[in-house]
Amino acid sequence: MENPVEVGKFGAVFGVNGWIKVHSFTERLESIFEYQPWFIKEQGEWCEIQISEWKHHGNGLIVKLVGIDQREIAQQKTNLSIFVEESVLPELPEGEYYINDLMGATVYNEQNYNLGEITDFFETGANEVLVLKAEKDDQYGKKERLIPLVFGDIIKEFDKEKKTMVVAWDPDF
């Protein structure tokens, strides 16, 4: 796969018949099913997986994968990331980005202090939060920073080609 984009992650198994929970990283939970085929990485190799059915469960989603009918087999997929080829995603309007675009970007504050590199993200009720890994010799003693993904107020600038971001953020946070 040339340009993999992470769109979700498998969670815990559900029941005894091979169903598994899916954590969707798409704006609308169900949108994850619009982007096919899905790929996972197992033992360093890309493997295409197919969905036989899916449904809502509580506030989330569960799926049944083709060829997986037992809890023990589904258990092997837990915590694996779900990827699609970038080409299956719709093109975004100017100024909007996929989380995948932000991963690996070096983040500077407005005073040009290097706050670290974006290595992960997670969602809260209000917005996504970027996880930054700081340089080892960070003078503020920070190895990790959490910065809300809020364009305008906090995220001032993002250069997709240079993989750099400028934020309004105190390096002591």
Side-chain angles (χ1 to χ4, degrees), residues 1 5 18 20 25 35 66 77 81 84 88 91-92 100 105 108 110 121 123 125-126 128-129 139 156 158 166:
M1 183 152 57
V5 176
I20 189 166
F25 299 157
Y35 313 122
V66 172
K77 308 296 184 217
S81 294
V84 297
V88 303
E91 194 157 321
L92 294 174
N100 195 62
Y108 299 90
E110 293 173 304
F121 78 99
E123 294 188 38
E128 287 90 7
V129 174
Q139 70 186 43
K156 298 298 183 182
F158 176 65
V166 176

Side-chain angles (χ1 to χ4, degrees), residues 4-66:
V5 176
E6 187 176 7
V7 293
K9 191 171 195 170
F10 288 118
V13 293
F14 180 81
V16 295
N17 295 321
W19 287 83
I20 189 166
K21 294 179 182 180
V22 170
H23 303 288
S24 173
F25 299 157
T26 58
E27 193 169 356
R28 284 182 21 259
L29 283 179
E30 304 85 8
S31 294
I32 193 169
F33 300 111
E34 296 171 14
Y35 313 122
Q36 298 289 327
W38 284 3
F39 293 89
I40 56 174
K41 205 164 200 179
E42 291 184 302
Q43 290 130 13
E45 297 290 323
W46 289 111
C47 302
E48 183 176 334
I49 54 172
Q50 296 177 353
I51 303 158
S52 61
E53 50 184 312
W54 69 272
K55 55 186 166 184
H56 286 274
H57 177 72
N59 292 335
L61 303 167
I62 56 174
V63 297
K64 184 91 168 75
L65 302 175
V66 172

Side-chain angles (χ1 to χ4, degrees), residues 79-95:
N79 296 317
L80 291 179
S81 294
I82 302 164
F83 295 88
V84 297
E85 182 64 52
E86 183 179 44
S87 61
V88 303
L89 299 173
E91 194 157 321
L92 294 174
E94 183 70 29

Side-chain angles (χ1 to χ4, degrees), residues 59-160:
N59 292 335
L61 303 167
I62 56 174
V63 297
K64 184 91 168 75
L65 302 175
V66 172
I68 297 181
D69 296 319
Q70 297 173 347
R71 178 182 181 88
E72 296 75 26
I73 297 171
Q75 185 83 40
Q76 297 170 5
K77 308 296 184 217
T78 59
N79 296 317
L80 291 179
S81 294
I82 302 164
F83 295 88
V84 297
E85 182 64 52
E86 183 179 44
S87 61
V88 303
L89 299 173
E91 194 157 321
L92 294 174
E94 183 70 29
E96 289 188 25
Y97 306 96
Y98 288 111
I99 289 286
N100 195 62
D101 296 333
L102 306 176
M103 300 305 287
T106 302
V107 180
Y108 299 90
N109 72 0
E110 293 173 304
Q111 291 72 41
N112 206 33
Y113 183 81
N114 183 338
L115 297 169
E117 182 178 301
I118 301 171
T119 59
D120 203 357
F121 78 99
F122 60 89
E123 294 188 38
T124 66
N127 52 263
E128 287 90 7
V129 174
L130 298 173
V131 178
L132 278 61
K133 296 290 183 197
E135 294 180 7
K136 290 181 181 180
D137 59 350
D138 186 294
Q139 70 186 43
Y140 295 94
K142 303 286 182 181
K143 292 187 171 123
E144 181 177 273
R145 288 186 172 85
L146 305 177
I147 297 181
L149 180 56
V150 180
F151 279 90
D153 292 338
I154 296 171
I155 311 295
K156 298 298 183 182
E157 182 181 314
F158 176 65
D159 187 320
K160 184 176 174 180

